[in-house]
């Protein structure tokens, strides 16, 4: 793919001398950004553009040009691609619109394009995007006119679905002291998609931070794996999250909607930093170009007491601790620098010290404190302070790198000076404390997550052939596993089930009742009844044999020809009900779910989920992140329940879903969490045949 | 106060020729901003500054100068103020620090300053601020050096506690196409405080929007009343909300912390727009300088399909409805303007129409649709489009005003062009959709709230003298009202109490038990027992006379000499428990509270509160805003409970707190909400003597 981003020769197809011609701008951009490779132009009419002739026939091209950039009406694209194939061009950037995002016919056209590409071994960028921008070598093959002076070279590479969003990020990153290495606008992702480009960016030495804007995630699982494989930070702006944006996204880049709750958790699990708007993206990029925030201890240095207070409020909102400054520290500063006494507070108010060198010295002193993880330097300057402030910013950058701690520099001054600083300094400047603190929180979470990621999911030994047999049998009979098969699957995976026995003959009831003791539930066993409770197939709290026999007879009638007995199960009156579940997401694969049962789920509708496989910290988080889960810890003097056992069940359920692709979904509802242990009371398993989840 | 903001003559005290002298900058700022009044300078050494002589003696001043601006060491201020008094100066702006924010001695000095001011009838701004800035007439009496060209005159007046924050807002508003009229930096608020300045701004014809930054709110109730009295929008940035900022705020402007939950609700009730960071403040100012968003129906017009999707996601987050565009509308546009067919979607993607006049026409067409309440116009421009974009922005402004609907214009382009637009256009420009949508949400809420505010709290007729007698009796005996007095107070205010009777003799129990019927609770009556339940003073579920008699005897022992009988109350088994309460906040006065009882309050810790008096919509909101309150509406097939009765109780409790300043707090816990009615089961009333709440 290096040939695509760093071609030696490129042909732009669709140009004309007409000033409104869009393909013409592609050529102009290549000139503007001083692309050093060979540039060839093809158009319908002969002419001259930027000192080069426009050729009217593909046939006249020499063979083996690296990249073709095509911006012609959609219906002409298949023919052009044929010509490219014949001329042994291996990469085509198609910027034309009018394909699947536009109409049925467009979609057909797209298929034809793909067919031709496959035939000739051509890989395609787009269609319906603005192609590729490589600031490093001037290969700027986009059709909107760009100004080289307004674009800043830097370390972020972007992978963007929409063209307009590409330009937005180009502008925002250029004025954020960070800069851009490469942008690819993927458009409809007909052939190459985010995974292909991502792989390239991960290996590209010029790319230090990867930014992604997507309206749909198709290869979710691959995305997660790629992200886990690299130490480069990945920031993802996933749009099209709501009901209202669905339709327009489909028209725009033919994007289908994902289940946003799954997207949210999946990205977190892979330490992909998710943002929801442009500003957060830029804040994330800024902070990730600083050393990492390794912990929670923050110092705020501020020239304004008022803004220090605003910063302290923000710090608390983002869960930082303001590291307590000791008097000995300020005493030392006092004696070293003969400054006026400053109070040993954090935020440290520098307002009365009008000495910029002293600011630098104090900054260094704070950075030297081992326990301090990061610093907000809140600066403001008026009039003559503008020049010394530039020096201060340089020093702050040096010190931040030297001590490998983030110094998030917030600077409030006149707009023009800010624009200058942002354009010329290679060090991110934040405007207000809220930005800097939200950014530091991103850095801290990124660092923390990297550590959690290292823990592998546990691996339990399981008698898989027994489970496979059970599933195979159900599958052959074109039905889902019924009780007790579903229980047996769980048990094979070490998920405990409340005591039960299967009774095939009424006369065996007595023995079973005596064995289980205490009240029991009877559940019908019949492959024809999938929602047992709805039809009277479950009867609870049976206390004596005569009642059990009566119920048995009724269930026999209910199950008809397919009745094969009942499951007698011990009633569990203690503990609290929770729900464990799993399903397969079309884009992210197996997902495990957890929630409380009963009134909690009805009123609060809380549940947590994770993409499988999960490791122990993830399973623990699934429980602790639910507000309702606090009732498991014991409220109103109740004793705490066995959350550890629940964690164990989640881990085992995760492995089950990984091992058994035949299983589409599982619903273990309820699981009773006890003071010791957590046992399944009912379970449904759905196979990929039929039902769906 | 007009004399303070528009003086004809001013004396700056503390100046010298020394370039590091701060008071000198005050004089320079007056020159820089072309202040037309008389300027006199006083300093310790004779000299010349800006062509004016520095006088060393206050005695040489003529009498009756309008304003003195003082920036000298704190300990010299009382003497200077004496001189000011003798010279009949009525307004003093003290910018010196070193008062109560600094030390004990500073606090004493401050008291002395206030005493002298009172003696001479001088009103004081500050100390410990940067004074007053009036852009209208160039009276810029601040000590940081300011640049007139970087400051934009406009319609926002600011009232700010901190000096650094004043400058921040000066910069931000100047580059936000909105501009500033006046700023007052209040510092320690020794004499004049936010209420005084606010009153002035409310009547000042040049002020259209009022912005406030506060670290503490002392006269909360007055603030609410002032806000309710004006139609000018008020935006408040209240800082010092957290634990960590408390200490630094105290050192900074001697500000004490408020209960932030009360601040939050109080401001909402008075339609004061609260923001938590600088950006939100600026977004609020921007949107309030546009016509109001009167409803929920939004149209997004966008040049970029991708950014339209991001905007649609934001719109959904802020609860807007994307008004469904009809095909007839786009047909019309098609036929009128001979544009290519555009799809009738909202967001409406203008991406394929490269015609700026057409954008204007489409914008006007959308504005003409009656049901549309506001528009986001998402614009982006590159290269040669910059000039026509300026024209487009002018048209958008004209149309927004003509149709009296907000057109929130988001513009993404090169940084320099944006800076130019923001500096020169009198129309707010947003950068990204998230800003514009959060701003429109502020406008919508502001408009909605204005309507709710019009509804007056109900007034119930009450036998007040009876209540006063009950309270007077308890007060005289230096105790809180006990049962049944507390019940009688509630009943006098029409808050129903579960059936009860007081029994003073054991032999009357039988008659009472027969009368009340069903299980009862017995509650001891004794002024010495304030937490009855803790000591066995409440026994529930008594079903027969013998049990009642036994309990009576035990309570008799418990109450000792002060035992005066028991209260026999009907047990109410139906319904759900809620808690109604009230307390007095030192800054905002009476506050009513609502929350669910039992496990809900323990697990979810949810409660709502409002500053009294409340009107009906406010009482309804108190219930509906709690997630837990959904269980009152009937879950799991239960019948809905009488929320109306609960609302009624809240309104009556609010009036009770307004009527009876002797009452410090009330705790009606529990109130049982039934299918019909909501009755108090227990109640505690605390008087201002002793306890506190």
């Amino acid at each position: 793919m290096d040939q695509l981003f760093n071609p030696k020769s490129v042909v732009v197809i669709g140009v004309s001398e007409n000033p409104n011609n869009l393909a013409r701008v592609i050529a102009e951009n290549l000139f503007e950004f001083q692309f050093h490779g060979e540039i060839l132009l093809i158009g319908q009419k002969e002419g001259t553009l930027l000192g080069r002739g426009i050729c009217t026939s593909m046939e006249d091209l020499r063979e083996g040009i690296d990249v073709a950039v095509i911006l012609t009406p959609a219906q002409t694209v298949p023919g052009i691609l044929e010509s490219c194939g014949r001329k042994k061009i291996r990469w085509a950037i198609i910027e034309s619109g009018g394909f699947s995002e536009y109409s049925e016919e467009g979609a057909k056209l797209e298929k034809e394009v793909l067919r031709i590409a496959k035939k000739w071994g051509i890989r395609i960028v787009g269609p319906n995007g603005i192609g590729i921008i490589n600031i490093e070598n001037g290969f700027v093959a986009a059709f909107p006119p760009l100004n080289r002076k307004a674009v800043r070279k830097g370390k972020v590479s972007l992978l963007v679905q929409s063209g307009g969003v590409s330009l937005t990020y180009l502008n925002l990153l250029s004025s954020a002291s960070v800069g851009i290495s490469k942008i690819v606008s993927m458009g409809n992702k007909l052939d190459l998609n985010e995974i292909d480009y991502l792989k390239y960016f991960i290996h590209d030495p010029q790319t230090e931070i990867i930014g992604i804007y997507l309206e749909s995630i198709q290869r979710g699982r691959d995305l997660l794996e790629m992200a886990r494989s690299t130490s480069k930070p990945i920031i993802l702006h996933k749009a099209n999250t709501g009901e209202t944006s669905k339709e327009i996204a489909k028209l725009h880049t033919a994007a289908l909607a994902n289940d946003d709750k799954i997207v949210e958790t999946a990205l977190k699990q892979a330490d992909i930093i998710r943002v929801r708007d442009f500003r957060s993206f830029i804040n994330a990029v800024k902070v990730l170009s600083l050393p990492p925030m390794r912990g929670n201890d923050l110092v705020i240095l501020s020239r304004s007491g008022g803004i220090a207070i605003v910063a302290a409020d923000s710090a608390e909102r983002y869960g930082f601790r303001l590291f307590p400054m000791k008097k000995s520290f300020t005493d030392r500063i006092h004696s070293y620098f003969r400054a006026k006494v400053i109070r040993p507070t954090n935020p440290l108010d520098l307002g009365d010290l009008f000495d910029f060198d002293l600011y630098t010295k104090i900054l260094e002193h704070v950075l030297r404190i081992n326990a301090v993880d990061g610093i907000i330097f809140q600066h403001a300057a008026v009039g003559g302070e503008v020049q010394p402030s530039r020096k201060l910013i340089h020093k702050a950058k040096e010190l931040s790198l030297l001590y490998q701690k983030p110094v998030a520099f917030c600077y409030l001054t006149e707009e023009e000076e800010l624009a200058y600083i942002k354009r010329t300094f290679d060090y991110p400047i934040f405007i207000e404390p809220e930005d800097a603190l939200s950014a530091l929180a991103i850095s801290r979470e990124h660092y923390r997550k990297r550590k959690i990621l290292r823990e592998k999911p546990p691996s339990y030994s399981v008698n898989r052939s027994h489970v496979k047999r059970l599933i195979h049998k159900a599958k052959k009979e074109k039905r889902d596993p019924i009780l007790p098969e579903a229980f047996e699957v769980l048990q094979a995976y070490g998920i405990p089930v409340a005591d039960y026995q299967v009774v095939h003959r009424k006369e065996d009831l007595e023995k079973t009742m005596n064995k289980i003791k205490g009240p029991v539930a009877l559940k019908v066993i019949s492959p024809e009844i999938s929602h047992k409770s709805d039809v009277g197939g479950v009867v609870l709290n049976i206390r004596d044999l005569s009642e059990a026999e009566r119920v048995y007879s009724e269930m026999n009638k209910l199950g008809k020809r397919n009745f094969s007995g009942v499951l007698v199960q011990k009633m569990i009156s203690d503990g609290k009900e929770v729900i464990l579940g799993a399903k397969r997401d079309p884009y992210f694969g197996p997902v495990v779910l957890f929630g409380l049962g009963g009134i909690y789920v009805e009123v609060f509708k809380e549940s947590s989920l994770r993409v499988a496989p999960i490791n122990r910290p993830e399973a623990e988080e699934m429980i602790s992140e639910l507000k309702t889960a606090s009732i498991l810890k014991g409220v109103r003097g109740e004793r705490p329940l066995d959350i550890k056992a629940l964690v164990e069940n989640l881990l085992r359920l995760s492995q089950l879903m990984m091992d058994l692709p035949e299983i589409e979904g599982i619903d273990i509802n309820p699981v009773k969490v006890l003071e010791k242990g957590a046992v399944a009371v009912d379970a449904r398993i759905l196979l990929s045949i039929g039902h769906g989840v």
Side-chain angles (χ1 to χ4, degrees), chain A:
Chain A
M1 197 176 277
D2 202 52
Q3 201 178 31
L4 172 64
F5 283 90
N6 292 294
K8 292 200 176 56
S9 52
V10 54
V11 54
V12 184
I13 302 167
V15 298
S16 85
E17 286 183 354
N18 182 341
N20 292 324
N21 172 266
L22 287 177
R24 176 198 161 117
V25 184
I26 297 173
E28 284 167 349
N29 279 333
L30 291 170
F31 282 90
E32 168 80 14
F33 284 82
Q34 302 172 341
F35 173 63
H36 280 306
E38 186 187 2
I39 304 172
L40 297 150
L41 307 175
I42 300 271
Q44 279 197 300
K45 266 196 213 163
E46 286 195 5
T48 312
L49 197 62
L50 300 156
R52 265 146 230 252
I54 301 173
C55 189
T56 55
S57 160
M58 289 286 290
E59 302 311 313
D60 297 344
L61 280 185
R62 71 168 170 85
E63 285 194 353
I65 290 166
D66 287 344
V67 176
V69 185
I70 303 169
L71 182 42
T72 60
Q75 70 277 13
T76 67
V77 173
I80 291 170
L81 209 60
E82 279 282 359
S83 309
C84 289
R86 281 194 294 273
K87 289 292 174 183
K88 301 204 163 52
I89 296 176
R90 289 208 32 225
W91 302 94
I93 302 172
I94 305 175
E95 302 189 17
S96 325
F99 290 95
S100 60
E101 86 286 358
Y102 188 71
S103 62
E104 286 290 322
E105 300 95 274
K108 275 184 210 151
L109 218 47
E110 220 173 62
K111 273 189 194 154
E112 176 65 3
V113 167
L114 191 59
R115 189 189 61 78
I116 296 167
K118 290 249 159 91
K119 185 174 89 178
W120 292 102
I122 304 172
R123 300 307 304 262
I124 290 173
V125 178
N128 187 32
I130 60 166
I132 281 181
I133 294 175
N134 184 352
I135 307 296
E136 307 278 353
N137 68 347
F139 182 56
V140 176
F143 67 79
L146 297 173
N147 172 0
R148 186 162 64 94
K149 287 203 197 90
V151 173
R152 184 185 177 124
K153 188 155 84 174
K155 49 189 151 194
V156 182
S157 285
L158 293 175
L159 215 157
V160 179
Q161 201 149 0
S162 146
V165 173
S166 306
L167 295 183
T168 303
Y169 276 124
L170 186 74
N171 280 324
L172 292 174
L173 285 170
S174 291
S175 56
S177 312
V178 182
I180 295 123
S181 174
K182 299 172 185 69
I183 300 179
V184 51
S185 161
M186 301 182 293
N188 293 3
K189 306 193 275 190
L190 174 61
D191 173 23
L192 292 169
N193 65 28
E194 57 264 34
I195 304 303
D196 305 303
Y197 301 118
L198 187 54
K199 204 178 291 175
Y200 177 70
F201 286 162
I202 285 176
H203 292 107
D204 175 31
Q206 291 159 334
T207 298
E208 292 176 33
I209 299 171
I210 299 168
I212 309 178
Y213 169 89
L214 289 177
E215 286 157 16
S216 67
I217 298 178
Q218 266 134 43
R219 294 170 58 185
R221 215 156 173 98
D222 295 337
L223 180 67
L224 304 186
E225 267 161 40
M226 299 284 301
R228 285 198 180 105
S229 75
T230 179
S231 61
K232 292 183 186 178
I234 299 175
I235 306 162
L236 176 67
H237 183 174
K238 166 70 174 65
N240 184 20
T241 57
E243 282 308 307
T244 41
S245 54
K246 257 186 202 169
E247 199 189 347
I248 179 94
K250 206 169 150 193
L251 294 172
H252 177 234
T253 50
L256 295 171
N258 294 92
D259 177 340
D260 201 60
K261 222 185 146 188
I262 294 179
V263 170
E264 183 76 17
T265 193
L267 299 181
K268 261 193 204 146
Q269 282 180 266
D271 193 25
I272 296 174
I273 297 157
R274 186 191 189 167
V275 297
R276 290 182 182 274
D277 52 47
F278 296 101
R279 177 179 308 113
S280 313
F281 187 102
I282 297 299
N283 284 336
V285 167
K286 282 178 176 174
V287 87
L288 292 169
S289 64
L290 294 174
M293 183 82 188
R294 290 189 175 80
N296 228 1
D297 275 310
L298 186 76
V299 172
I300 299 172
L301 303 176
S302 178
R303 274 199 94 184
S304 153
I307 302 176
I309 290 165
V310 176
D313 286 341
S314 283
E316 190 164 327
R317 275 204 293 279
Y318 288 103
F320 289 105
R321 188 174 92 114
L322 294 186
F323 179 77
M325 299 296 259
K326 295 206 182 79
K327 196 175 167 299
S328 58
F329 169 79
T330 44
D331 284 352
R332 199 147 29 108
I333 289 195
H334 182 46
S335 66
Y336 283 5
F337 307 124
R338 295 168 196 209
K340 286 189 232 178
V341 174
I342 57 171
R343 286 160 179 280
T345 55
N346 180 9
L348 194 67
D349 189 346
L350 307 173
D352 291 333
L353 314 171
F354 290 88
D355 177 345
F356 280 45
D357 288 335
L358 188 52
Y359 295 169
T360 310
K361 285 172 189 162
I362 292 175
L363 174 59
E364 182 156 14
H365 266 257
V366 175
L367 281 166
R368 275 197 194 137
I369 303 173
N370 255 332
V372 171
D373 299 307
I375 292 177
I376 297 274
F377 197 104
Q378 179 62 51
H379 188 56
V382 282
E385 296 175 336
V386 158
Q387 281 298 333
S389 295
R390 292 184 186 176
K391 204 178 129 198
L392 178 65
I393 295 171
H394 275 299
K395 290 301 285 182
K397 177 191 167 182
E398 271 176 39
L399 291 171
S400 176
L401 291 174
L402 181 63
Y403 290 93
Q404 279 296 301
K405 294 177 183 181
V407 176
F409 201 94
C410 301
Y411 190 14
L412 289 154
T413 191
E414 291 160 18
E415 179 116 350
E416 272 70 15
E417 175 63 12
L418 270 183
Y420 172 82
I421 300 267
K422 291 195 279 178
R423 203 168 49 241
T424 51
F425 280 53
D426 178 24
Y427 180 57
I429 298 293
F430 297 92
I431 304 301
E432 58 164 295
E434 176 71 14
D435 285 327
L437 283 152
S438 67
L440 285 181
I442 287 172
S443 180
R444 175 188 57 189
E445 180 64 11
H446 180 60
Y447 189 79
R448 188 183 75 84
K449 207 78 204 191
R450 283 278 129 187
K451 284 194 289 182
I452 290 185
L453 272 179
R454 281 182 218 133
E455 186 157 340
K456 294 274 164 290
S459 172
Y460 301 99
S461 73
V462 171
N463 179 351
R464 267 174 232 191
S465 58
H466 170 56
V467 174
K468 290 272 182 196
R469 258 196 314 276
L470 287 167
I471 290 177
H472 185 69
K473 181 166 178 281
K475 219 170 166 180
K476 231 178 79 187
E477 293 168 13
K478 292 204 158 75
R479 58 164 178 86
D480 290 321
I482 49 169
L483 293 186
E485 288 164 346
F487 282 159
E488 285 176 50
V489 171
L490 297 185
Q491 286 171 314
Y493 274 85
I495 299 171
V497 176
D499 266 6
Y500 69 87
Q501 280 219 301
V502 175
V503 173
H504 293 292
R505 298 181 314 167
K506 206 177 191 174
E507 46 273 41
D508 294 342
L509 270 176
E510 185 169 5
K511 206 176 72 189
T512 304
M513 294 281 291
N514 288 338
K515 199 168 167 195
I516 291 183
K517 287 193 191 93
V520 298
L522 254 59
K523 299 176 182 180
V524 69
I525 300 175
S526 162
E528 294 214 332
I529 300 175
S530 68
H531 288 83
K532 301 182 299 293
S533 317
D534 298 351
V535 294
V538 177
V539 178
L540 304 177
N541 271 318
I542 297 171
R543 287 167 192 275
D544 56 45
L545 183 61
S546 65
E547 201 186 342
E549 286 173 343
R550 189 180 50 75
V551 169
Y552 187 98
S553 305
E554 274 167 23
M555 286 185 175
N556 197 343
K557 266 183 259 166
L558 195 72
K560 288 179 204 152
R561 272 187 311 144
N562 284 295
F563 177 78
S564 67
V566 301
L567 190 140
V568 182
Q569 188 169 34
K570 192 177 172 64
M571 290 292 302
I572 297 185
S573 55
D574 315 347
K576 292 235 161 30
E577 291 188 357
V578 301
I579 302 168
L580 266 61
K583 62 178 182 175
R584 274 175 213 283
D585 181 78
Y587 309 108
F588 289 95
V591 167
V592 289
L593 301 109
F594 169 73
L596 262 79
I599 193 161
Y600 296 98
V601 71
E602 283 181 49
V603 175
F604 299 102
K605 295 175 182 70
E606 262 198 332
S607 65
S608 61
L609 49 85
R610 292 291 183 282
V611 173
I614 55 174
N615 62 25
R616 196 169 294 272
E618 286 173 327
E620 286 164 353
E621 269 180 5
M622 282 185 79
I623 299 167
S624 63
E625 77 185 30
L626 296 191
K627 227 179 158 184
T628 41
S630 65
I631 67 151
L632 301 177
K633 291 180 207 147
V635 285
R636 304 193 130 192
E638 291 169 350
R639 300 182 61 179
L641 302 178
D642 194 347
I643 292 176
K644 249 187 164 170
L646 209 48
V647 166
E648 196 68 18
N649 285 350
L650 280 167
L651 290 167
R652 288 170 183 275
L653 179 60
S654 158
Q655 180 175 334
L656 189 161
M657 286 300 283
M658 294 303 293
D659 286 353
L660 306 170
E662 304 90 336
I663 294 185
E664 186 61 33
I666 298 189
D667 192 18
I668 318 182
N669 179 10
V671 169
K672 278 274 196 165
V673 195
L674 308 170
E675 281 181 34
K676 201 161 161 42
V679 298
V681 171
D682 203 357
R684 280 184 76 208
I685 292 179
L686 299 181
L687 299 186
S688 331
I689 42 132
H691 316 265
V693 186

